[in-house]
Amino acid sequence: MRRTIGLLYDPHIVAGGRDGYDGVPTVEAAIDRLNEVPVDWTVVGGDLRHLLGAANEHNDGRTDWGGWHGDPDNYFYRRDFGRAKRLFDERLDGDYVVARGNNDRPLDVYREYFPAEAFPQWGWFVEDGARYVVLDTNPHPGHHALRDQQNFVSAPQISMLERLMDTDPEIPTFVFLHAPVAKHQGIDDWETGHTAAYKLTLNYPTVQRVLARGNTVFVNSGHYWPDNGRSVEVVDGVRYVLARHLVHNRDPDYGGDVRWLRVDTDRNVATVHYHDVGTGTDGRLARTEW
């Protein structure tokens, strides 16, 4: 049985007079490509909305990167989440799940548009002989500056992974999360500099050890915008795939990658493909068998 899953990471939707390019045409082009493939369902892999605010009636100018911009009513956050939800609902063919990113906060405002009963914060399901796991690498409720938090996979999620891998270690498993849980070559500042705390999932060695206990085929992440993307690292037989940002809000000429995962449980093979929105070209990133 074959399934094709869209991987729409880092769309960074902006609504209103904000600081930065909104990137919606790029997201629309990416979704159109997924619909052409076509895909059976899609993972929206975090950072649905853009982080930065702009001068508005609540503040005198742009404040610190990752702060709350003096917005007591969450005005911009509601506008961003609302625009993102409408775009995904109206343009994506088929269902979609969400793996939250560090920009998808505060959690209570996110839940107004992506309610828990339809969009669990994390979980898993089995389809046609394959297991699909969605994790949340930013389980914080929000309302804090970005530098005051780190990416991590919470203890309840680790317990879920342990139960899954130990109960059925043979089923091919595909994991989707926002922040990387493996260090990728070509990026030399994972643990240095003022952004180090949220570039990598803090407890990535623990996550890697648990995933290696089962038949984990691909782990798909995003979160990183430079062209160091299209990277695959193999750790203990598990392939970790890093996706380039789809939208970089500081650069209107930037067109990142949208991807799709093909899983064939009859032939025991899976492949990850990409479409470069900026150049309009397709390619295959990784292939593996089990």
Side-chain angles (χ1 to χ4, degrees):
M1 196 71 177
R2 190 167 89 165
R3 280 286 179 268
T4 303
I5 298 99
L7 306 175
L8 185 70
Y9 275 73
D10 297 278
H12 286 218
I13 301 297
V14 173
R18 300 286 300 286
D19 179 19
Y21 169 66
D22 69 9
V24 168
T26 302
V27 180
E28 291 175 337
I31 292 175
D32 290 346
R33 183 68 188 99
L34 291 181
N35 292 339
E36 290 172 357
V37 168
V39 298
D40 294 290
W41 47 276
T42 297
V43 177
V44 179
D47 282 5
L48 282 57
R49 57 168 300 274
H50 183 35
L51 187 67
L52 297 176
N56 60 82
E57 67 268 29
H58 300 297
N59 67 345
D60 295 326
R62 207 185 106 201
T63 58
D64 64 300
W65 183 59
W68 291 96
H69 316 295
D71 179 5
D73 299 319
N74 296 310
Y75 173 76
F76 285 114
Y77 304 94
R78 286 191 171 94
R79 290 189 67 178
D80 291 349
F81 284 133
R83 188 177 189 186
K85 185 65 162 57
R86 289 190 299 273
L87 180 61
F88 303 147
D89 286 351
E90 295 172 2
R91 205 168 188 105
L92 275 170
D93 289 345
D95 295 331
Y96 64 94
V97 300
V98 177
R100 288 178 63 238
N102 53 293
N103 290 7
D104 302 324
R105 58 196 180 97
L107 181 59
D108 56 348
V109 179
Y110 169 83
R111 281 285 173 238
E112 293 178 18
Y113 300 89
F114 299 91
E117 57 271 20
F119 299 94
Q121 196 166 344
W122 44 271
W124 63 278
F125 60 92
V126 172
E127 182 180 70
D128 298 325
R131 181 165 58 198
Y132 299 96
V133 180
V134 177
L135 300 178
D136 186 350
T137 54
N138 294 91
H140 318 272
H143 289 103
H144 48 68
L146 188 62
R147 293 189 181 91
D148 294 337
Q149 59 89 40
Q150 293 176 315
N151 308 304
F152 68 97
V153 178
S154 61
Q157 294 181 81
I158 294 292
S159 296
M160 175 191 71
L161 290 175
E162 290 175 332
R163 291 194 303 272
L164 292 178
M165 299 304 159
D166 293 346
T167 301
D168 191 349
E170 300 302 322
I171 186 172
T173 300
F174 300 86
V175 180
F176 310 100
L177 42 70
H178 180 69
V181 286
K183 293 182 179 180
H184 290 253
Q185 295 182 7
I187 302 174
D188 58 5
D189 58 350
W190 288 111
E191 295 174 334
T192 61
H194 73 283
T195 61
Y198 43 83
K199 279 189 175 174
L200 186 67
T201 300
L202 183 66
N203 56 341
Y204 72 93
T206 297
V207 179
Q208 290 177 356
R209 286 193 293 270
V210 175
L211 293 179
R213 282 155 59 170
N215 183 18
T216 306
V217 181
F218 280 128
V219 179
N220 297 275
S221 66
H223 186 55
Y224 210 76
W225 76 262
D227 287 339
N228 301 83
R230 299 181 190 161
S231 174
V232 181
E233 294 294 328
V234 181
V235 181
D236 294 332
V238 178
R239 283 167 171 76
Y240 295 83
V241 183
L242 177 65
R244 293 169 65 221
H245 266 193
L246 176 59
V247 171
H248 181 48
N249 296 92
R250 290 299 192 188
D251 184 359
D253 296 322
Y254 176 88
D257 287 352
V258 64
R259 304 185 183 202
W260 55 94
L261 164 68
R262 284 203 168 105
V263 178
D264 189 332
T265 52
D266 292 329
R267 298 172 54 231
N268 293 345
V269 62
T271 54
V272 179
H273 303 259
Y274 69 87
H275 173 74
D276 186 324
V277 177
T279 64
T281 57
D282 291 352
R284 189 175 76 184
L285 178 63
R287 180 186 186 277
T288 189
E289 300 180 9
W290 65 87

